[in-house]
Amino acid sequence: MRPDLRRRRLLLLLTASTLYSAPLARRALAEAARPSLGGTQAPASDAGKGLKVVVVGAGMAGLSASATLVAAGAEVVVLEARDRIGGRIFTDRSLGVPVEQGANFIHGFNGNPVAALASKAGGMPFFVDEEQSAVLLSGGEEPEDFEIDDLWEEIERIEEKAAEEADGDAALSLLDIIELLDPALLQEPIGNWGLTDMWENELGAPLSAISALHFNAGEVYPGPDAVLLQGYDLLPRHLADGLDIRLGEAVRHVRHAGDTVTVETATARFEADHCVVAVPLGVLKAGAIAFDPPLPPEHQAAIAAIGFGNLAKVSVLFDRVFWPTDLHYLGYAGKERGRFADMLSLVPIHDAPVLTLMASGGYADKVDAMDEAALRADVTAVLRDMFGQAVPAPEAITRHAWSTDPLALGTYSYPAVGARPGDHDVLEAPASGRLLLAGEHTSRDHFGTVHGALESGQRAALAVLKRGRG
């Protein structure tokens, strides 16, 4: 289970307070590097000798699988539909500093395999501190401390009673439970901000779509969240070193019956002993890849059941900083739930007048549907509601609409109404003797995270090596 709110806040406070100087950050990286990826032993360097594998997707899962297989001596071809590697890790530098269009954080630094990978890649973390934050209501008023404390206590009460109130009914959503236990929370701006910050943002889905039974499923690593100062794309570039990656190759068919696997793109055909398909869950849901024979019924059911949500992120450059420079996070308790409720300041991270605003729940799709003019106007309106009419217009703005990106069709998986934690286990299991799936959606404990994707790729690679050519 995820830690409850009180324990998570304590873990963050105890760890974040010690990690902000560069020497201590380097010490934290050294500590993180000690465990091997996923806590397993690396395979022998000749374990994959003579083995041919096609990996579909050059995101973190696909690159992790490929790097593990190549290190074991296998011959691997990676097919990536995009013109870049990284998948939903997408670092943009058009604003003059690295901003993350996709995955942003190493969630829970202590013992996290992504932190270990960052150490190997020479990454330097910046530890974000949730205590360095402020929430503003419409008009710029700041709630009293007791209001925030009361809010978290009420959300914690809902968290503790949700499963009991759901009473095993898989059709109930988290919204149903909130309406039962405290409907007034949904009518208050500060209440809606808390619900967004706690669940809609973290899980990337509206409350009405999140399972009341399993919203709290999964595990977390302790310690603070971290941002990589060089950009998150440092990690896929590190994993990709030495790999045979074919960009612009969108896979259309995977035939996995018989003694070999045949993988077809619009322009080429590849044969191998095994195939690892590491594309986003949204691509699997859309049926963009045809499998022959079709995926097993249990795999198809799990793909349909697990949710695949949306978190819209917008990074904005200004000519000056007009918000408190010491804050890491800003919260906006506006009238519409999910409307840029959470913001990350890049002033302490990169000394740049840049904000990354996050829209979640139903508002995320609204943001993805906006053209740039409408988006600029919406962002400006929110910030002027918080800080007054003197807020300047943005100098530049950048975003990526993952929900409409045909190579993603969403951001990350979540426990949807009707889904079960065991659905992730189904997707982790081989689809056939020569076909495996990988990705954060195949991780029961760490779905929705980069480390979940990273570990899933290694698991798939080890399964391939165990099966060999037979």
Side-chain angles (χ1 to χ4, degrees):
M1 296 294 289
R2 294 175 186 266
D4 63 29
L5 288 171
R6 188 177 295 112
R7 178 168 169 258
R8 175 160 175 77
R9 287 202 295 272
L10 181 60
L11 286 169
L12 287 164
L13 282 170
L14 287 176
T15 313
S17 62
T18 67
L19 291 179
Y20 284 94
S21 72
L24 287 173
R26 286 191 289 271
R27 186 186 308 165
L29 277 172
E31 291 293 327
R34 288 181 181 176
S36 62
L37 181 61
T40 61
Q41 293 295 320
S45 60
D46 61 350
K49 188 175 181 179
L51 200 61
K52 293 184 177 181
V53 184
V54 171
V55 174
V56 182
M60 287 299 282
L63 294 173
S64 172
S66 301
T68 303
L69 288 164
V70 168
E75 180 182 334
V76 180
V77 173
V78 186
L79 303 178
E80 169 55 53
R82 299 184 188 276
D83 61 0
R84 61 173 180 84
I85 64 170
R88 284 165 283 162
I89 290 180
F90 184 17
T91 306
D92 185 313
R93 293 174 175 82
S94 64
L95 302 186
V97 294
V99 298
E100 306 298 347
Q101 303 277 33
N104 213 128
F105 304 101
I106 300 175
H107 287 291
F109 197 81
N110 296 356
N112 192 315
V114 177
L117 180 63
S119 177
K120 295 174 185 176
M124 178 59 69
F126 177 91
F127 297 99
V128 290
D129 183 0
E130 291 189 0
E131 295 301 306
Q132 292 293 110
S133 63
V135 181
L136 298 181
L137 300 166
S138 179
E141 181 183 357
E142 191 168 353
E144 298 290 340
D145 288 345
F146 76 84
E147 294 180 275
I148 298 294
D149 290 341
D150 288 349
L151 170 65
W152 290 129
E153 287 180 7
E154 181 59 12
I155 287 179
E156 190 162 6
R157 185 181 75 89
I158 292 170
E159 182 180 46
E160 291 172 349
K161 295 184 70 66
E164 176 185 342
E165 295 294 338
D167 195 27
D169 188 348
L172 288 179
S173 72
L174 191 51
L175 179 62
D176 293 328
I177 299 302
I178 295 167
E179 288 177 334
L180 177 66
L181 294 175
D182 191 351
L185 206 57
L186 297 162
Q187 308 305 317
E188 304 166 356
I190 191 64
N192 274 318
W193 170 79
L195 295 171
T196 296
D197 182 71
M198 183 61 197
W199 288 312
E200 287 195 335
N201 191 324
E202 180 171 342
L203 296 175
L207 297 173
S208 59
I210 299 169
S211 168
L213 287 178
H214 305 302
F215 71 94
N216 219 19
E219 302 286 344
V220 297
Y221 286 104
D225 294 344
V227 174
L228 287 181
L229 293 175
Q230 298 100 318
Y232 223 145
D233 62 353
L234 173 71
L235 303 191
R237 286 189 281 113
H238 177 78
L239 284 174
D241 186 37
L243 299 182
D244 181 1
I245 301 175
R246 317 286 177 90
L247 299 177
E249 293 283 5
V251 170
R252 296 291 178 244
H253 294 88
V254 176
R255 295 179 172 86
H256 57 107
D259 295 333
T260 61
V261 177
T262 302
V263 180
E264 296 180 1
T265 71
T267 60
R269 174 175 172 157
F270 303 85
E271 291 193 353
D273 299 303
H274 295 277
C275 178
V276 177
V277 175
V279 299
L281 180 61
V283 174
L284 295 176
K285 283 179 174 286
I289 298 174
F291 294 95
D292 180 19
L295 294 177
E298 59 270 26
H299 281 66
Q300 295 184 45
I303 288 168
I306 298 170
F308 198 60
N310 187 26
L311 181 71
K313 296 171 62 180
V314 183
S315 293
V316 189
L317 172 70
F318 295 93
D319 63 0
R320 59 184 171 85
V321 178
F322 52 83
W323 60 93
T325 59
D326 60 325
L327 296 181
H328 295 188
Y329 289 110
L330 295 166
Y332 174 58
K335 296 177 181 178
E336 186 167 0
R337 188 169 68 247
R339 185 188 184 197
F340 302 125
D342 290 315
M343 308 175 192
L344 176 69
S345 172
L346 271 62
V347 174
I349 302 171
H350 294 300
D351 193 25
V354 175
L355 287 172
T356 295
L357 296 83
M358 288 159 268
S360 56
Y363 206 80
D365 291 341
K366 292 183 180 181
V367 168
D368 280 356
M370 293 179 186
D371 61 23
E372 184 170 327
L375 185 57
R376 282 174 174 265
D378 199 39
V379 167
T380 302
V382 166
L383 293 173
R384 287 178 178 170
D385 192 26
M386 296 171 68
F387 295 104
Q389 294 304 305
V391 167
E395 287 206 332
I397 191 168
T398 183
R399 54 87 179 261
H400 186 84
W402 294 102
S403 68
T404 59
D405 178 344
L407 301 179
L409 297 173
T411 50
Y412 43 85
S413 64
Y414 70 92
V417 171
R420 306 170 299 111
D423 291 326
H424 299 284
D425 297 333
V426 171
L427 297 187
E428 182 185 333
S432 73
R434 300 191 179 276
L435 175 64
L436 293 104
L437 305 181
E440 51 83 14
H441 50 281
T442 70
S443 175
R444 181 189 185 110
D445 291 336
H446 299 295
F447 60 87
T449 65
V450 175
H451 51 269
L454 188 71
E455 291 173 320
S456 78
Q458 190 191 43
R459 282 196 301 269
L462 295 178
V464 166
L465 294 173
K466 183 176 181 180
R467 288 171 177 267
R469 300 187 67 182

